[in-house]
Amino acid sequence: MKNIGLLGLGTVGSGIIEILEIRKEEIKNLTGHDIRIKKVLVRDLNKKRDIILEPDLLTTNYDEILSDEEIDIIVEVTGDLEMSYKYISDALTRRKHVVTANKAVVSKYFEKLLSLAADNNVAFLYEASVGGGIPVLKPLKEALFLNEITEVQGILNGTCNYILTRMIDEGRNYEDVLRNAQELGYAEVDPTADIEGHDTLRKLRILATLAFQGQIREEDILLNGISTITSYDIDYIKNMNSTVKLIGEAKIVEDGFTAVVQPTIIKNSNYFANVNMAYNSVAFKGNNVGELKFYGAGAGKLPTANAVLSDVLDIIMGTYRKGNPLGQRVLKNLNSKIRGKYYLRVSDCNAEIIRTLKRIAEITMSVGSITTIITEEVQLTGLGRLIDDLNIGNDRYFFARILNY
Ligand code: NAP
Ligand code: HSE
């Protein structure tokens, strides 16, 4: 018998219980063990839940789980940041294996948690933290043995992709589709993390740090989200025979790296244009393997629970990679080298703003008080500074990289 302490019983936690129940026999045949959820940590014992459990399974006291010697695997799916950091650290220190889907905690404490796990000779696994149900971190870690990875790129947030797909394909309004994404369990408790791009940034930080074998911190990544996109932008982009996706991308450049999360306008024929709704895709390039692309459900109850449980099975069967997967490479931040053409729409525009924008514009279009430009090739950090200097309020503009393929 293998006993699990489950922290969280929301979308992902209930999916974990559901799969374990349905696949009980197959799991026993594969691992030789029954897997039992011995205790479940929740915030509110009296909350009405879809899933029916023995009442004494639930607790609000983590110590009951931590001190239970029969529990040797902790599965953390609460979404809380600092509390979960403490709970995960305590569990690793007590030599319990930990699996999490929580990218916020992995991203913020990646190095600390992995070295704590290695010091205590236990596993810390986080497959579900990037790409939801897509198995991508395990193949990436395997590819590292034989390859120099030079690029990672992807649509990494299901909520944003769902919103953008429904706005483009159905002309739906931003607020309505965000609400749908929340109802479907894709969005974070505070969806700001999704729509402002922080969630994509965290996933890119995890991917790039593993891939490049050097620390790429959250603050090393340039960020621009989708929260200010309007139906005006959507119509403009559709007229370009294009679509728009929130893409995270990190590359090895000379003796350093570039890393950026930004809305990106791509032709309808581009591979990423067909990654729609809450699906994600992650691509990476290795010097031997070439380009590999992974595609699948980026969010949602069962796909995410599936990814969590594959980590659990790896622990039970001892098939996870032992030791610390991070490298010590020192890489320079070369984000100042990121250049490209950009779409920029400014609402309530005045003559001074238009005059300044025209200096970098290849195409300018004004409709009433809305002005849109397509820039010449510019430096991204320079464009950001220009927008700041013009004091255009955050809610008055939207900009996106334009890729011509
Ligand atoms: P959720 O539906 O909001 O569920 C969170 C659960 O954790 C709830 O059961 C809640 O208890 C419990 N919880 C939260 N804070 C707690 C605290 N301070 N103490 C004790 N229990 C606490 O979240 P979710 O969608 O399942 O996501 C869980 C994690 O998986 C997050 O880190 C998320 O980013 C990650 N993730 C989610 C998805 C997805 O598609 N949803 C995909 C990949 C990764 P109560 O039920 O009592 O409120
Ligand atoms: N909120 C996240 C998303 C969940 O929409 O992608 C999966 O990480």
Side-chain angles (χ1 to χ4, degrees), residues 164-165 168-169 237-238 240-245 264-270 272-274 276 401:
L164 293 175
T165 305
I168 288 268
D169 290 358
I237 292 164
K238 281 168 82 168
M240 295 164 78
N241 287 324
S242 295
T243 188
V244 59
K245 300 287 180 189
T264 306
I265 296 172
I266 48 178
K267 291 280 175 211
N268 288 327
S269 52
N270 182 294
F272 284 117
N274 292 312
N276 286 319
R401 169 84 199 272

Side-chain angles (χ1 to χ4, degrees), residues 4 16 20 30-31 35 72-77 97-102 106 123-130 132-139 141 303-321:
I4 290 181
I16 290 169
L20 282 178
L30 176 74
T31 65
I35 298 185
D72 55 6
I73 304 176
I74 300 289
V75 171
E76 189 281 314
V77 286
H97 303 287
V98 176
V99 175
T100 184
N102 184 341
V106 179
F124 174 60
L125 299 179
Y126 41 87
E127 182 62 67
S129 68
V130 177
I134 310 173
V136 61
L137 297 180
K138 198 171 167 189
K141 286 183 221 167
T304 311
N306 191 81
V308 170
L309 285 172
S310 11
D311 280 345
V312 170
L313 293 186
D314 267 345
I315 292 173
I316 292 173
M317 294 189 296
T319 46
Y320 67 95
R321 180 188 150 160

Side-chain angles (χ1 to χ4, degrees), residues 68-122:
D68 187 331
E69 298 297 334
E70 283 182 0
I71 293 179
D72 55 6
I73 304 176
I74 300 289
V75 171
E76 189 281 314
V77 286
T78 65
D80 193 288
L81 175 57
E82 298 305 336
M83 176 208 77
S84 68
Y85 171 59
K86 179 165 179 356
Y87 288 177
I88 293 171
S89 312
D90 289 350
L92 295 171
T93 309
R94 297 280 284 254
R95 295 180 187 261
K96 293 182 192 288
H97 303 287
V98 176
V99 175
T100 184
N102 184 341
K103 45 276 150 113
V105 79
V106 179
S107 172
K108 183 157 181 199
Y109 296 107
F110 205 16
E111 291 77 11
K112 282 189 180 165
L113 290 174
L114 280 168
S115 83
L116 196 56
D119 289 349
N120 287 287
N121 209 14
V122 284

